[in-house]
């Protein structure tokens, strides 16, 4: 056995592409898309190939690292667990349960050994100070699902393969590969869609997805809520609501529509930058289409009115009878269920953040309050922080303030594979072994996929003697902490056991042996209506007018906030070679042209007397950065566009390639007090900034 291939899904983004790993004996030689994967059909992006860089990266940690002043020293796993457990327990003994804070970053969701295990640790801590990347991302979706359908993960997914009319706001799946819509090989799917129907993209930038769309309209950042109100008003003119499918299963719809109809709309075209006639025509075409779906993502969630936007999008689909309909928006029936019995439905407001009084959602507080909970003295102040697969210094608002706050902690423990902008402040870093050494099942992304699919990922090689898997690390910390704190702890069984148990909770009929035998994954079929029999609201109906959203609508200003003199509005972007803040150390992703520029419309450059390519200063109410300017007709006049996840040139960071990269951190400009009201999600798009020559 010399040359041979093994198959596994890529855990780096939501698309979960099947990959072919080519080995010569034990040596991993190359990675290709798995042509036999029925879902991803051979697709791979540059990040998939960059797994080779991750596997061989000399900066990647493989054994526990203990800080010693400014230096780091390797210690044994036993020493590390004991130290972690004792420090955490001692902090709580002195300062109370809430003195441990936790922050979980995005890759937690991509590894079964994290997502199925870390919650047990948080439960043992019994602290209310739990934070995650969800509150700089998809909280509005989860809140809307919880309030309307009774479970945060009863998530309607656009049936992209069967729709005739796709209205897409604030999403760029050509770069992101879909999000809350797991959609590998999205280019082929969009091409098929535009050949048979219409894709309309609404975005302040003409994105890679907008380039492929049937139509693109610029929209003024953070004005989508007004566009969606006008769209719903136009639907009311197009014809009556098609609600027959929801008979007996829908409450509050008339109440919600009446409130929307009463909203003054004459200024909406000026506020959004989209003409009234365009909105009318779009709404009529949407209404007329047999199969249509409206969908909004990052651009409309991570902004001032994220929750209202997500609610109005649901109402559009409902109005046209497209919710829970083929070619509309459908909930996946996951083989390993994440809704139903024993799962967390998404409760809200059971406790509040100590300093600002913001409500909890689903057991977490908005990460925007993390820095002040560390720096504000008093009972319940965070003194010790546990981070798992997160880089909040670059990923959450006002990174400068958080960077300073982390330096004030008594103890910081990170489960991470790099010494980066956040983990450099840790006292102890525990790095999990490569995911290639572990069993894995994508519990979340299979459940958000545009088809019903299932795939068990089996280890491609053994972990090293001196390495530990993610789930082993959680068990190690848990046992040591419980021992030091005098609490009970039960080690969780290995992933394969938990995956088998999870499958047994589902109704797919698939068991682990069948999955193990299907090395390219299993296609169960297209999405199909299932929502109405799965509603988890108390009323057993779709709640179209939750009081929380009705109040937010009543409180919605009839005008956009006045832009300050000379300001521009900042929005983000993703590139196919990026992965939030953490893959910039992979040589094959960062070679070639720079990707960090601030894009600005030529007219704005000219009117400010700036020059294409010049270094400029960008100021916001929170901070300032310097960056190179790039003229672009792809951004709307009045808007500037910067990717997040840069800003690696900090002392103490151990990323030899990333630290060489130019590019500042977007979140040095964002404001931790700018939130979507109902959810507490951060508003990172549509930030007022001033751009000046240096
Ligand atoms: N301005 C602005 N800010 C944003 C966004 C935006 O669009 N604009 N996007 C937001 C979104 S959607 C998200 S999800 C967040 C992401 O926010 P975070 O999750 O905080 O940031 P990441 O950059 O994903 O950092 C991932 C971390 O996980 C580590 N890591 C990688 N693989 C593993 C592993 O297998 N195990 C462990 N334990 N660690 C690992 C990496 O070294 C890195 O430290 O950023 C948000 N921030
Ligand atoms: N290559 C790559 N892929 C990724 C990631 C990555 O970092 N790199 N991150 C992954 C993660 S964690 C996530 S959550 C997903 C995100 O997936 P997407 O949501 O598809 O990602 P974005 O590319 O951020 O798309 C957001 C779009 O919103 C637009 N926008 C900004 N402000 C507004 C606004 O006010 N209104 C409207 N209508 N549009 C606006 C932006 O111009 C942008 O095109 O991507 C995932 N995939
Ligand atoms: S699109 Fe996402 S899942 Fe597919 S290869 Fe790229 S990073 Fe991996
Ligand atoms: Mo995300």
């Amino acid at each position: 056995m010399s040359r041979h291939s093994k198959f596994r899904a890529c855990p780096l983004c939501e698309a979960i592409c099947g990959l072919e790993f080519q080995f010569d004996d034990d040596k991993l030689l190359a990675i290709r898309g798995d042509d036999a994967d029925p879902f991803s059909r051979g697709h791979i992006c540059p990040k998939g190939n960059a797994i080779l860089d991750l596997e061989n990266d000399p900066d990647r940690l493989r054994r526990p690292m203990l800080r010693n002043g400014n230096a780091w020293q390797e210690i044994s796993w036993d020493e590390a667990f004991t130290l972690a457990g004792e420090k955490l327990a001692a902090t709580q003994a002195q300062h109370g349960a809430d003195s441990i804070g936790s922050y979980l970053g995005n890759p937690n969701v991509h590894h079964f050994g994290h997502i199925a295990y870390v919650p047990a640790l948080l439960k043992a801590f019994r602290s209310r100070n739990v934070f995650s990347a969800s509150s700089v991302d998809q909280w509005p979706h989860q809140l809307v699902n919880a309030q309307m359908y009774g479970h945060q993960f009863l998530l309607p997914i656009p049936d992209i393969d069967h729709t005739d009319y796709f209205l897409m706001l604030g999403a760029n799946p050509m770069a992101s590969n879909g999000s809350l819509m797991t959609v590998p090989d999205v280019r082929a799917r969009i091409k098929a869609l535009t050949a048979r129907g219409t894709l309309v993209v609404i975005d302040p930038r003409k994105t890679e997805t907008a380039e492929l769309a049937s139509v693109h309209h610029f929209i003024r950042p953070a004005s989508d809520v007004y566009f969606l109100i006008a769209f719903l008003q136009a639907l009311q003119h197009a014809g009556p609501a098609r609600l027959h499918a929801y008979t007996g299963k829908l409450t509050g719809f008339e109440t919600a529509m009446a409130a929307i109809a009463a909203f003054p709309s004459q200024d909406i075209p000026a506020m959004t930058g989209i003409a009234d006639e365009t909105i009318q025509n779009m709404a009529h075409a949407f209404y007329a289409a047999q199969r249509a779906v409206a969908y909004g993502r990052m651009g409309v969630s991570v902004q001032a009115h994220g929750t209202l936007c997500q609610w109005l999008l649901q109402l559009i689909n409902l109005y046209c009878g497209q919710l829970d309909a083929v070619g509309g928006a459908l909930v996946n029936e996951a083989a390993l269920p994440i809704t139903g019995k024993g799962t967390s439905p998404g409760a809200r407001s059971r406790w509040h953040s100590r300093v600002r009084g913001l409500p909890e959602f689903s057991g977490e507080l908005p990460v925007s309050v993390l820095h002040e909970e560390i720096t504000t003295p008093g009972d319940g102040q965070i003194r010790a922080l546990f981070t798992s697969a997160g880089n909040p210094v670059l990923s959450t608002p006002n990174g400068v303030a958080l960077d300073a706050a982390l330096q004030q902690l008594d103890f910081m423990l990170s489960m991470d594979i790099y010494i980066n902008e956040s983990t450099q402040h840790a006292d102890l870093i525990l790095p999990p072994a490569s995911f290639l050494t572990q069993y894995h099942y994508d519990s979340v992304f299979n459940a958000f996929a545009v088809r019903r699919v299932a795939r068990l990922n089996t280890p491609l090689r053994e972990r090293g003697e001196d390495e530990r898997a993610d789930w082993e690390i959680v068990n190690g910390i848990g046992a040591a902490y419980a021992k030091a704190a005098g609490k009970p702890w039960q080690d969780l069984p290995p992933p394969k056991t938990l995956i088998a148990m999870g499958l047994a909770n589902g109704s797919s009929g698939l068991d682990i042996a069948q999955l193990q035998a299907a090395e390219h994954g299993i296609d169960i079929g297209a999405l199909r209506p299932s929502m109405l029999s799965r509603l988890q609201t108390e009323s057993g109906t779709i709640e179209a007018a939750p009081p929380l959203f009705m109040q937010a609508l009543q409180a919605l200003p009839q005008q956009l906030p006045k832009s300050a003199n000379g300001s521009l509005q900042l929005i983000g972007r993703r590139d196919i070679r990026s992965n939030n803040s953490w893959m910039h150390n992979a040589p094959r992703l960062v070679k070639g042209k720079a990707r960090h520029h601030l894009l600005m419309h030529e007219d704005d450059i000219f009117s400010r007397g700036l020059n294409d390519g010049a270094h400029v200063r960008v100021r916001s109410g929170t901070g300032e950065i310097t960056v190179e300017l790039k003229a672009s007709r792809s951004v709307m006049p009045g808007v500037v566009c910067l990717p997040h996840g840069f800003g690696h040139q900090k002392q103490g960071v151990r990323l030899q390639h990333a630290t060489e990269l130019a590019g500042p951190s977007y979140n040095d400009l964002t404001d931790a007090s700018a939130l979507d009201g109902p959810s507490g999600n951060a508003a990172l798009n549509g930030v007022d900034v001033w751009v000046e020559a240096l």
Side-chain angles (χ1 to χ4, degrees):
M1 172 129 124
S2 56
R3 285 271 183 151
H4 62 284
S5 287
K6 295 180 181 176
F7 302 90
R8 217 185 136 102
C10 173
L12 297 175
C13 92
E14 277 76 345
I16 56 172
C17 300
L19 300 183
E20 175 183 351
F21 293 79
Q22 298 175 343
F23 289 85
D24 194 3
D25 286 329
D26 287 347
K27 193 170 160 41
L28 178 57
L29 291 181
I31 303 174
R32 308 256 177 274
D34 176 2
D35 291 327
D37 182 305
F39 191 38
S40 62
R41 313 181 289 212
H43 182 72
I44 184 170
C45 85
K47 290 187 291 298
N49 289 115
I51 291 173
L52 286 166
D53 290 346
L54 289 182
E55 289 294 291
N56 298 319
D57 191 344
D59 290 330
R60 182 178 179 149
L61 308 178
R62 290 159 210 278
R63 280 164 294 278
M65 297 292 272
L66 178 68
R67 163 193 299 290
N68 196 340
N70 285 332
W72 292 93
Q73 128 197 25
E74 278 187 15
I75 60 171
S76 76
W77 286 100
D78 285 345
E79 281 175 282
F81 292 143
T82 304
L83 180 71
E86 284 176 353
K87 285 280 189 186
L88 293 172
T91 304
Q92 281 186 320
Q94 199 182 345
H95 301 290
D98 293 334
S99 63
I100 299 184
S102 298
Y103 172 80
L104 312 185
N106 170 276
N108 281 287
V109 190
H110 293 268
H111 299 290
F112 192 85
H114 288 59
I115 195 171
Y117 292 79
V118 173
L121 197 55
L122 302 185
K123 202 168 158 204
F125 293 160
R126 296 185 70 89
S127 166
R128 294 179 161 188
N129 283 314
V130 176
F131 309 87
S132 82
S134 295
S135 55
V136 279
D137 188 349
Q138 79 284 355
W139 261 15
H141 299 254
Q142 289 172 244
L143 179 62
V144 166
N145 298 335
Q147 300 264 320
M148 292 183 75
Y149 310 126
H151 198 290
Q152 56 183 334
F153 300 132
L154 280 174
L155 174 84
I157 298 149
D159 190 7
I160 186 170
D161 291 339
H162 303 104
T163 198
D164 305 321
Y165 194 106
F166 195 143
L167 174 64
M168 183 185 289
L169 288 86
N172 184 14
M174 282 299 295
S176 70
N177 288 288
S179 177
L180 301 187
M181 158 172 83
T182 285
V183 56
D185 197 14
V186 68
R187 177 189 289 275
R189 291 181 146 98
I190 288 179
K191 288 210 153 150
L193 163 62
T194 53
R196 92 181 157 259
T198 307
L199 170 63
V200 178
V201 170
I202 312 272
D203 197 301
R205 180 167 75 91
K206 185 157 194 194
T207 60
E208 298 76 4
T209 306
E211 294 283 355
L212 284 188
S214 323
V215 189
H216 164 245
H217 296 289
F218 283 132
I219 188 166
R220 208 168 146 200
S223 71
D224 303 77
V225 63
Y226 301 103
F227 167 79
L228 293 167
I229 288 172
F231 195 94
L232 275 158
Q233 292 176 346
L235 282 179
Q236 289 171 297
H237 295 298
R242 298 194 194 102
L243 302 175
H244 44 270
Y246 316 114
T247 306
K249 288 282 187 184
L250 178 62
T251 43
F253 191 75
E254 286 74 24
T255 311
M257 290 308 296
I260 290 158
F263 195 90
S265 60
Q266 65 279 4
D267 295 337
I268 290 180
M271 285 197 271
T272 57
I274 304 181
D276 183 51
E277 196 192 348
T278 308
I279 301 176
Q280 298 296 332
N281 290 344
M282 223 187 289
H284 278 77
F286 190 95
Y287 187 81
Q290 204 178 0
R291 297 168 167 196
V293 67
Y295 160 81
R297 199 49 273 275
M298 276 294 294
V300 290
S301 316
V302 188
Q303 55 134 294
H305 303 293
T307 296
L308 281 177
C309 287
Q310 292 305 335
W311 174 48
L312 297 171
L313 285 160
Q314 305 305 308
L315 293 179
I316 290 174
N317 290 331
L318 264 171
Y319 192 95
C320 299
Q322 303 290 359
L323 185 93
D324 209 33
V326 170
L330 291 159
V331 186
N332 198 312
E333 299 151 90
L336 193 158
I338 57 170
T339 60
K341 222 174 88 209
T343 60
S344 161
R348 180 179 177 275
S349 209
R350 291 165 298 179
W351 63 87
H352 292 79
S353 73
R354 179 180 60 107
V355 179
R356 231 188 292 174
L358 295 181
E360 150 273 353
F361 174 65
S362 192
E364 294 179 18
L365 292 166
V367 69
S368 293
V369 309
L370 176 55
H371 70 101
E372 70 201 27
E373 293 296 334
I374 297 172
T375 55
T376 311
D379 256 6
Q381 180 183 6
I382 297 174
R383 311 275 186 153
L385 185 70
F386 167 63
T387 71
S388 174
N391 191 5
V393 167
L394 295 192
S395 301
T396 69
N398 200 347
V400 176
L402 186 63
D403 185 55
L406 295 185
Q407 298 174 45
Q408 170 178 334
L409 290 164
D410 294 345
F411 181 65
M412 179 168 160
L413 169 68
S414 293
M415 180 155 93
D416 207 290
I417 56 176
Y418 286 113
I419 300 176
N420 62 20
E421 299 73 18
S422 300
T423 60
Q424 64 153 314
H425 299 304
D427 297 283
L428 180 61
I429 307 179
L430 304 179
S434 164
F435 60 84
L436 295 179
T437 65
Q438 299 304 316
Y439 277 95
H440 168 63
Y441 185 90
D442 273 297
S443 52
V444 171
F445 302 115
N446 280 305
F448 294 164
V450 300
R451 284 187 73 82
R452 287 178 291 142
V453 289
R455 178 176 194 141
L456 177 71
N457 300 289
T458 55
L460 304 192
R461 59 176 171 83
E462 300 266 303
R463 71 156 168 74
E465 267 295 301
D466 53 354
E467 297 177 315
R468 292 292 175 276
D470 41 8
W471 63 276
E472 293 175 307
I473 295 174
V474 176
N475 277 337
I477 302 171
Y481 162 78
K483 185 171 170 211
K487 292 182 177 180
W489 173 264
Q490 179 86 55
D491 268 355
L492 288 167
K496 201 176 169 188
T497 309
L498 285 192
I499 295 167
M501 285 160 63
L503 289 169
N505 286 335
S507 55
S508 69
L510 291 169
D511 63 23
I512 196 135
Q514 284 163 292
L515 286 186
Q516 184 133 20
E519 63 177 351
H520 306 289
I522 294 178
D523 182 60
I524 306 169
L527 298 181
R528 56 187 189 183
S530 71
M531 173 77 102
L532 295 182
S533 59
R534 294 166 66 189
L535 293 168
Q536 285 184 237
T537 50
E538 242 168 65
S539 65
T541 67
I542 297 172
E543 304 266 7
L548 186 62
F549 306 163
M550 292 295 287
Q551 283 154 20
L553 180 64
Q554 298 307 332
L556 180 68
Q558 294 180 10
Q559 291 293 333
L560 283 172
K562 267 229 158 5
S563 279
N565 217 357
S567 72
L568 295 156
Q569 286 186 297
L570 179 67
I571 60 164
R573 73 172 179 273
R574 285 175 158 77
D575 181 274
I576 192 71
R577 289 168 180 273
S578 77
N579 200 358
N580 295 317
S581 76
W582 73 276
M583 285 188 75
H584 287 148
N585 211 43
R588 71 188 76 207
L589 294 182
V590 293
K591 64 170 193 248
K593 66 170 196 221
R595 297 181 176 86
H596 62 269
H597 295 81
L598 182 77
L599 305 182
M600 189 191 280
H601 194 274
E602 317 178 319
D603 296 351
D604 287 323
I605 293 191
F606 182 76
S607 68
R608 281 171 174 71
L610 300 169
N611 291 310
D612 187 13
H615 283 258
V616 291
R617 176 185 296 118
V618 186
R619 264 189 311 119
S620 71
T622 303
E624 65 174 59
I625 56 168
T626 61
V627 65
E628 295 97 302
L629 191 61
K630 192 166 181 174
S632 168
R633 282 166 176 257
S634 74
V635 286
M636 190 178 185
V639 172
V640 282
C641 176
L642 186 76
H644 73 289
F646 285 85
H648 305 295
Q649 320 78 357
K650 288 188 187 349
Q651 255 209 328
V653 169
R654 210 189 267 188
L655 300 165
Q656 54 182 302
H657 301 292
T659 47
E660 302 255 292
L661 277 187
S665 175
Y666 187 118
N667 288 316
D668 286 359
L669 296 172
T670 48
D671 178 356
S673 67
L675 302 172
D676 163 50
S679 69
N681 205 49
L684 305 176
N685 285 306
V687 179
D688 265 346
V689 294
W690 292 264
V691 181
E692 300 144 1
L694 258 190

